[in-house]
């Protein structure tokens, strides 16, 4: 039997030869109350040698400068950030959670079957418990 049969595919975030695939933003699927807050940034994939993985670097909306999740002056409106995704080698859009808003984020990696789109039992329980907006 070939040693490659049944082999686990390489995690796309660990393949330094190409950026991971980024899903398109569907603005209408983001709750309007979040889109109205000026807490948006863009991000770009960057290879992190130390971690041997791709990581997301926050970027300001209209320049190539990095954004900071603890500096409001580097955030912008949803519209400005969305209109500039793709410029300055950016790959996506991000929302900055703060202690002043009533929102939080839970990031559960590896919890969705890529072929079927189904969530793991654990992820489904978390989603149900939080009765929340979910993004992939």
């Amino acid at each position: 039997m070939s040693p490659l049969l049944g082999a686990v595919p390489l995690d796309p975030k660990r393949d330094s030869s190409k950026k991971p695939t980024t899903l398109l933003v569907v603005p209408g699927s983001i709750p309007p109350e979040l889109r109205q807050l000026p807490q948006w940034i863009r991000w770009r994939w960057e290879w992190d040698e130390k971690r041997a993985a791709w990581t997301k670097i926050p970027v300001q909306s209209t320049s190539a400068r990095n954004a900071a999740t603890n500096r409001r002056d580097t955030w912008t409106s949803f519209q400005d950030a969305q209109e500039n995704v793709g410029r300055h080698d950016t790959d996506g859009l991000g929302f900055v959670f703060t202690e002043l808003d009533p929102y939080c984020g839970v990031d559960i990696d590896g919890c969705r079957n890529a072929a079927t789109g189904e969530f793991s039992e654990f992820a489904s329980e978390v989603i149900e418990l939080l009765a929340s907006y979910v993004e992939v």
Side-chain angles (χ1 to χ4, degrees), residues 97 103-107 130:
F97 296 100
Y103 309 107
C104 70
V106 177
D107 186 5
L130 296 177

Side-chain angles (χ1 to χ4, degrees), residues 21-78:
T21 303
T22 303
L23 299 175
L24 293 176
V25 173
V26 180
S29 70
I30 299 171
E33 60 196 78
L34 293 182
R35 289 193 314 248
Q36 292 176 15
L37 295 173
Q39 296 170 214
W40 293 89
I41 58 173
R42 300 175 303 156
W43 57 265
R44 72 173 178 274
W45 286 115
E46 188 172 285
W47 181 253
D48 182 334
E49 288 291 336
K50 195 183 263 188
R51 291 179 44 214
W54 288 94
T55 189
K56 294 177 181 176
I57 303 298
V59 180
Q60 294 183 33
S61 81
T62 58
S63 76
R65 291 184 171 170
N66 288 356
T69 57
N70 62 351
R71 288 192 42 218
R72 285 186 177 277
D73 63 318
T74 65
W75 314 340
T76 191
S77 69
F78 173 81

Side-chain angles (χ1 to χ4, degrees), residues 1-11:
M1 178 153 113
S2 166
L4 296 179
L5 286 179
V8 176
L10 181 64
D11 178 347

Side-chain angles (χ1 to χ4, degrees), residues 93-113:
L93 189 61
F95 181 80
V96 180
F97 296 100
T98 76
E99 67 280 352
L100 301 176
D101 64 51
Y103 309 107
C104 70
V106 177
D107 186 5
I108 307 172
D109 292 329
C111 68
R112 185 172 167 264
N113 182 310

